[in-house]
Each structure stands twice: as C-alpha cells, then as structure tokens.
Amino acid sequence: MLSTKIELNHNKIARAEGLDELARLLFPGNRNHQRIFLAIFIELKYAKGGFLPFLNPLCEKYDFSPRTLETVRSKMRRMGLIDHVCRFNKAHGYREGWVFSNRFCR
C-alpha cells in the first residue's frame, strides 16, 4: 500500500525535473489530485498577471468534480502554494481571486 504522507525536503525539490514529479511529491498515491494540482498550477502560471478570479471553470475544462477541486485547492493553500486575494487588496486592482503565494516563490 502506498503511503500518502508528504515527505519533502530541499534536496527532493531540487532533484525534481518536472511538474509531474513535483505533483507526485506533494500528492503521493493519488493521481486524481496530482492531475488537478497540475491543472491549477499551469492555469495560474499562464494566467494574465498570474491571477485567476475563479477556479470553478477548471472543472469543466479539465473534466473533474468541484468537490475534488476544493480538496486540492485547500491542500495547496495549507501548504503555502497559493493564496486567496481579497477584493480589498490594492496590489491586485481590488479584485478577488487566486495567486501564487509569496512563500512558494522562495
């Protein structure tokens, strides 16, 4: 049986050669969560200004359930990969949505 414990250190991250390996490190043993992580990551990376107002359209685009999307989104937020931007934030033009976390950049 595969372990679902996330074992991460700087050496494993440095050795990861692609996003698929990063997905396997962050979501071990669950290919569906890995696929959704990759969808969110790629959409955020190539979004205009690195800002996505809504994640729900990804469900239809990539054919997965909203419930699973919320599970992966919450895990990504707890890990410090993405942040929710409040509509009172001047830096993002007073828009509400999702961005990569500043902690993730480091």
Side-chain angles (χ1 to χ4, degrees):
M1 188 162 114
L2 289 173
S3 173
T4 57
K5 182 178 179 183
I6 299 172
E7 296 183 24
L8 228 129
N9 60 38
H10 66 279
N11 290 329
K12 284 187 178 185
I13 294 172
R15 285 190 305 242
E17 294 182 1
L19 284 177
D20 56 338
E21 289 183 30
L22 182 62
R24 276 186 249 130
L25 285 173
L26 297 176
F27 298 94
N30 195 329
R31 294 195 42 88
N32 197 27
H33 286 191
Q34 293 171 11
R35 188 172 66 101
I36 295 171
F37 164 76
L38 289 173
I40 294 172
F41 189 92
I42 290 170
E43 289 291 330
L44 263 175
K45 181 175 180 177
Y46 293 109
K48 186 176 180 181
F51 178 85
L52 278 179
F54 304 103
L55 294 177
N56 291 341
L58 299 179
C59 293
E60 291 179 17
K61 185 174 181 179
Y62 294 102
D63 193 35
F64 47 77
S65 73
R67 182 176 177 173
T68 312
L69 171 73
E70 286 302 310
T71 302
V72 173
R73 181 207 51 82
S74 67
K75 285 182 181 181
M76 289 177 70
R77 188 167 184 198
R78 278 184 275 149
M79 283 189 261
L81 300 176
I82 61 175
D83 280 332
H84 185 257
V85 175
C86 178
R87 61 187 164 108
F88 300 113
N89 190 334
K90 183 179 179 181
H92 293 283
Y94 301 105
R95 300 176 296 168
E96 188 171 3
W98 296 94
V99 295
F100 281 120
S101 173
N102 291 336
R103 289 181 278 167
F104 181 61
C105 296
R106 288 185 244 139

